[in-house]
């Protein structure tokens, strides 16, 4: 059918449509009312579809470019022009159109699209269709004519229509809000913009991000707004933030509001769901550090409320959820990242000044050159000193915080090391605080490094030979109380986020991941010298040490050898130790009780922590007495003088003397068994217990026993204590018993000659089966009907070269 070729009256009908009513009635600054369209198309009526905005219904992806047929119809002014614009003479051109931010542009600027069509020149958008013709068009009215875009189907036509409508509206909002006049009207337009984004049928990230960027630019260019205007704008854009992260500039604005108005209701009502979404869905704060800063400032704002940390605690609980398992796996690592960044920020200026490196603020300001930065900042240190200290223990003091003076000559006689058994000397009253430059501390430490090298090897600092603040704290007891005085605000920040780490450690499901995240000790060294911080952190480490799960308490050890872990930091003489080694002893106890590599752990203790172990054993600590006895029993200590010193330490206490005598008795019994010999094969009756086995083995000599069958008995892992007394055992049958992982770990440490092991229908799991990788003599292993997995099976095959006969039926590896 033909387009109508009549006069001006037909054009008014085009604009009397109730087209897109829910969007057309929205206010828009500077948008002129739609004028009469004098375009007269070909003969015959056409239908213009009525579209109503709704959050449901058909959805479309925002188009940025695409292929479409284009026709341009000029206003017919003469009879000849009316004939030329009829549908029979109309010409369609194929174009690849791009929807830029300001105009509709063709990839081939020829013909109808020789020049770009600006969105500002488009007066109206309409959908057109014909009754008996399969044509799907979008009509764009502009002064002097009409542009028709013909799509292949109705869905593609609607997609072009909504995309053009969106681009046109966003272009006008951007122009209007870039030049605001009255802020009450601007606020109304912002609400209209937000409503348009929420009701748009388009699905694209930019649909919600584009309005946020427009408002972000508006706020950045009008920093003199009143506080009330700020809050009104934040409330207006709140619906967009429920499912979208705020852009970086908007984060800066939110941070400023949190700092200046922490008690504002906007913080609770608007920022809370935004921060919750950030913590649940953010994948990498490194790509968007301002999101992390905004989260940090929000938490500090909560801490400023009357209830303080109680509000923060409720927020953390809301992030975890009411169940025992948090449903959002990203919450914990994101919270930890925010805490670590906040704690580091308390010492950022000092660290950058000490290392003479540019801070983040300087980098943002472009001040990265050496001569552009200020001289090293003096560090305010609080330490007690003797009234008349000898020259060997003096640190250089500067009279004022001006550039540091050259340090005095290194002392010729370094302070002697204190024996392990010596009590900690009492410190006199401290003089007023002195200002000490960090570079002076490092220089003085470097000069004393050679004289203190032997002592540092025995101490908790490990293999890190680079001079640093922690090493300085370990040089002498007088300097061990050295602390950094933070400004009041930084001290509050440090305390707040240290308490959040305590809250995180109280959740059982979060504790394994938290222990892993904190295992490399990701805190600044200066923070570990802060008494209040280490006190709060001690609670977290105690929670790790008390957790029975190996994946938790094993994180107390260092990530790699030569670097300190929490185990070293809280040992006697360590930077964080303030309890005479009680936490250290509990860590040793839990690690010895679960770690199947007992000898390896004992070797590390003997090499690095023998002094603290002997000191605690001398004070009657039972765990350390057991450690020293195991070192003697397993021949960990080769030096005879050290062995005698350990024996003297054990004999100096009642509990140590008793355990040492038991050790000697066991050694004599073992030698007697080996000397007398005994049977080579033994089978226990069905339903025998651990006590029955212990009674049998204590009744005679079994030093030559090679084959032992405990099949279908009631023995458990506890009988492993008796089995390790059989040095000649080569074949062990534990079929259908309750022998578990703990027993396997003990056997792997002592029965190196075991060749045949039957674990069929036992409750062993991968945790115990992995321990068998150290039993290189195994040639036959039955793991039928156990909880063996395929990965563990492959690992055992790779580590047991003599293993030839294996039964893995009815397991995951079958």
């Amino acid at each position: 059918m033909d387009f109508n070729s009549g006069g001006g009256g037909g054009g008014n009908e085009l604009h009397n449509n109730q087209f897109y009513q829910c969007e057309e009635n929205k206010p828009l600054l500077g948008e002129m009312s739609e004028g009469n369209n004098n375009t007269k198309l070909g003969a015959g009526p056409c239908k213009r579809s009525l579209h109503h905005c709704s959050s449901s219904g058909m959805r479309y992806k925002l188009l940025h470019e695409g292929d479409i047929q284009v026709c341009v119809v000029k206003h017919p002014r003469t009879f000849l022009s009316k004939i030329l614009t009829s549908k029979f003479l109309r010409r369609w051109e194929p174009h690849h159109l791009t929807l830029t931010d300001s105009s509709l542009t063709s990839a081939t600027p020829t013909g109808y699209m020789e020049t770009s069509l600006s969105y500002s020149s488009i007066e109206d958008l309409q959908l057109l269709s014909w009754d008996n013709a399969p044509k799907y068009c979008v009509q764009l009215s502009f002064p002097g004519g009409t542009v028709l875009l013909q799509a292949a189907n109705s869905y593609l036509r609607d997609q072009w229509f909504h995309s053009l409508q969106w681009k046109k509206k966003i272009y006008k909002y951007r122009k209007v809000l870039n030049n605001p006049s009255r802020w009450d009207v601007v606020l109304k337009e912002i609400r209209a913009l937000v409503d348009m984004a929420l009701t748009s049928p388009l699905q694209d990230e930019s649909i919600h991000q584009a309005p946020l960027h427009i408002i972000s630019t508006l706020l950045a260019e009008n920093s003199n707004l009143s506080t009330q205007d700020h809050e009104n704008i934040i409330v207006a854009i709140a619906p967009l933030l429920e499912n979208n992260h705020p852009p970086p500039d908007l984060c800066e604005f939110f941070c400023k509001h949190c700092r200046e108005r922490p008690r504002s209701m906007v913080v609770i009502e608007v920022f809370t769901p935004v921060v919750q979404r950030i913590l649940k869905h953010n994948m990498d704060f490194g790509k968007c550090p301002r999101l992390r800063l905004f989260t940090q400032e929000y938490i500090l704002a909560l801490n400023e409320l009357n209830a303080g940390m109680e509000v923060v605690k409720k927020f953390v609980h809301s992030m975890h959820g009411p169940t025992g398992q948090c449903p959002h796996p990203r919450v914990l690592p994101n919270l930890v990242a925010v805490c670590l960044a906040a704690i580091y920020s308390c010492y950022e200026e000092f660290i950058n000044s000490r290392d003479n490196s540019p801070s983040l603020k300087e980098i943002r300001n472009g001040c990265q050159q050496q001569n552009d930065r200020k001289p090293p900042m003096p560090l305010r240190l609080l330490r007690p000193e003797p009234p008349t200290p000898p020259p060997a223990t003096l640190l250089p003091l500067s009279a004022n915080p001006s550039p540091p003076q050259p340090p005095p000559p290194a002392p010729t006689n370094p302070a002697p090391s204190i024996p392990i058994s010596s009590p900690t000397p009492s410190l006199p009253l401290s003089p007023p605080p002195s200002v000490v430059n960090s570079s002076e501390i490092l220089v003085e430490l470097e000069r004393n490094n050679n004289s203190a090298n032997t002592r540092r090897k025995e101490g908790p600092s490990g293999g890190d030979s680079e001079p640093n603040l922690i090493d300085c704290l370990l040089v002498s007891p007088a300097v061990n109380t050295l602390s950094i005085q933070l400004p009041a605000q930084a001290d509050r920040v440090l305390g707040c986020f240290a308490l959040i780490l305590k809250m995180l450690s109280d959740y059982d499901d979060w504790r394994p991941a938290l222990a892993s995240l904190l295992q490399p000790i990701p805190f600044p060294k200066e923070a570990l010298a802060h008494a209040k911080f280490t006190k709060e952190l001690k609670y977290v480490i105690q929670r790790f040490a008390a957790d029975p799960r190996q994946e938790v308490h094993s994180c107390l050890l260092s990530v790699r050898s030569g670097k300190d872990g929490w185990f070293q930091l809280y040992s006697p003489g360590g930077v964080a130790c303030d309890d005479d080694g009680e936490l250290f002893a509990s860590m040793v106890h839990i690690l010895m009780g679960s770690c199947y590599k007992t000898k390896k752990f004992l070797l590390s203790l003997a090499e690095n922590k023998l002094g603290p172990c002997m000191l605690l054993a001398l004070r009657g600590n039972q765990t350390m007495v057991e450690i020293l006895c195991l070192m003697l029993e397993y021949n960990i200590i080769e030096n005879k003088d050290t062995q005698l010193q350990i024996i003297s330490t054990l004999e100096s206490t009642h509990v140590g003397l008793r355990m040492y005598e038991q050790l000697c008795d066991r050694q004599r019994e073992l030698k007697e068994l080996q000397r007398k010999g005994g049977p080579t094969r033994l089978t226990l009756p069905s339903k025998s217990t651990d006590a029955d086995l212990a009674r049998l083995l204590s009744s005679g000599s079994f030093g030559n026993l090679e084959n032992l069958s405990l099949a279908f008995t009631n023995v458990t892992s506890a009988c492993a204590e008796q089995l390790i007394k059989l040095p000649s055992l080569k074949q062990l049958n534990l079929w259908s018993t309750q022998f578990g992982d703990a027993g396997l770990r003990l056997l792997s440490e002592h029965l190196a000659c075991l060749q045949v092991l039957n674990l069929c229908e036992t409750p062993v799991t991968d945790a115990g089966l992995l321990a068998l990788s150290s039993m290189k003599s195994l040639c036959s292993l039955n793991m039928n009907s156990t909880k063996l997995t395929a990965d563990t099976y492959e690992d055992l095959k790779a580590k047991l070269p003599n293993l030839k006969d294996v039964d893995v039926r009815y397991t995951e590896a079958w």
Side-chain angles (χ1 to χ4, degrees), residues 563-606:
K563 295 294 182 181
D564 287 350
W566 297 113
F567 180 74
Q568 287 80 14
L569 239 63
Y570 281 92
S571 63
V575 175
C577 181
D578 60 353
D579 58 0
D580 293 331
E582 292 180 7
L583 178 57
F584 173 74
S586 64
M587 287 192 285
V588 172
H589 178 76
I590 190 67
L591 289 171
M592 284 295 298
S594 65
C595 185
Y596 62 87
K597 296 181 179 179
T598 308
K599 287 186 177 179
K600 181 179 180 181
F601 184 61
L602 287 174
L603 280 171
S604 67
L605 284 178

Side-chain angles (χ1 to χ4, degrees), residues 317 320-327 506-511 549:
H317 182 70
H320 178 275
T323 62
Q325 191 75 21
C326 179
D506 286 332
Y507 292 93
D508 290 340
D509 59 316
W510 276 354
R511 205 173 297 130
R549 291 169 291 185

Side-chain angles (χ1 to χ4, degrees), residues 111-136:
Y112 292 144
M113 298 301 297
E114 183 175 0
T115 59
S116 299
L117 181 62
S118 173
Y119 297 138
S120 60
S121 65
I122 300 176
E123 297 177 345
D124 188 23
L125 285 173
Q126 297 281 355
L127 292 177
L128 301 179
S129 62
W130 291 263
D131 289 336
N132 299 318
K135 291 184 178 180
Y136 308 96

Side-chain angles (χ1 to χ4, degrees), residues 252 573 637:
E252 291 279 358
I637 306 298

Side-chain angles (χ1 to χ4, degrees), residues 196-389:
M196 184 188 74
L198 294 175
T199 57
S200 174
L202 294 172
Q203 284 185 326
D204 193 86
E205 182 181 358
S206 62
I207 298 303
H208 289 170
Q209 288 295 326
L212 291 176
H213 281 288
I214 292 175
I215 297 168
S216 176
T217 303
L218 173 68
L219 293 172
E221 294 177 354
N222 298 272
S223 58
N224 57 345
L225 290 178
S226 66
T227 302
Q228 188 61 42
D229 288 334
H230 282 173
E231 294 187 354
N232 291 336
I233 293 175
I234 293 173
V235 173
I237 64 177
L240 285 181
L241 297 173
E242 291 180 1
N243 297 309
N244 297 274
H245 290 338
D249 291 341
L250 206 55
C251 285
E252 291 279 358
F253 173 72
F254 289 170
C255 290
K256 180 181 178 183
H257 189 84
C258 287
R259 287 190 294 266
E260 296 179 353
R261 300 267 298 173
R263 296 174 178 266
S264 169
M265 290 305 297
V266 169
V267 174
I268 300 294
E269 296 178 357
V270 179
F271 289 169
T272 296
V274 179
V275 174
Q276 287 176 336
R277 188 182 189 281
I278 292 173
L279 292 175
K280 290 177 181 177
H281 301 288
N282 175 67
M283 298 302 295
D284 185 6
F285 275 133
K287 296 179 180 178
C288 42
R290 294 185 184 179
L291 288 179
R292 181 178 59 200
L293 182 61
F294 167 50
T295 306
Q296 173 184 331
E297 294 293 345
Y298 166 79
I299 293 175
L300 291 175
L302 293 185
N303 193 34
E304 292 294 326
L305 300 177
N306 292 335
M309 289 307 299
E310 285 300 320
V311 181
V312 177
K313 186 176 182 179
K314 290 180 180 179
F315 173 75
V316 172
H317 182 70
S318 71
M319 295 308 306
H320 178 275
T323 62
Q325 191 75 21
C326 179
H328 303 287
R330 293 300 309 167
V331 168
L332 177 66
N334 283 335
L335 273 174
V336 173
V338 171
C339 291
L340 296 181
I343 293 170
Y344 181 87
S345 68
C346 298
Y347 297 92
E348 181 184 4
E349 289 189 12
F350 164 69
I351 293 173
N352 294 324
S353 176
R354 181 198 65 190
D355 298 338
N356 204 19
S357 60
S359 64
L360 294 178
K361 182 178 180 181
E362 290 175 330
I363 292 176
R364 286 196 295 265
N365 295 334
C367 176
Q368 302 186 43
Q369 300 299 324
Q370 182 80 12
N371 53 4
D372 291 337
R373 298 197 299 275
K374 57 187 178 182
M377 179 184 66
L379 170 63
R380 187 171 181 81
L381 301 172
L382 299 180
R383 61 171 189 185
E385 296 178 356
T388 56

Side-chain angles (χ1 to χ4, degrees), residues 505 508 510-520 540-559 565-568 570 583-597 601 745 767:
S505 67
D508 290 340
W510 276 354
R511 205 173 297 130
L514 179 63
S516 177
L517 291 170
L518 299 186
Q519 185 178 16
V540 181
I541 306 306
Q542 286 174 332
R543 298 290 288 176
F544 294 163
D547 197 296
R549 291 169 291 185
Q550 184 176 351
E551 64 267 25
V552 178
H553 56 246
S554 62
C555 292
L556 298 171
L557 299 172
S558 57
V559 178
W566 297 113
F567 180 74
Q568 287 80 14
Y570 281 92
L583 178 57
F584 173 74
S586 64
M587 287 192 285
V588 172
H589 178 76
I590 190 67
L591 289 171
M592 284 295 298
S594 65
C595 185
Y596 62 87
K597 296 181 179 179
F601 184 61
R745 288 194 286 264

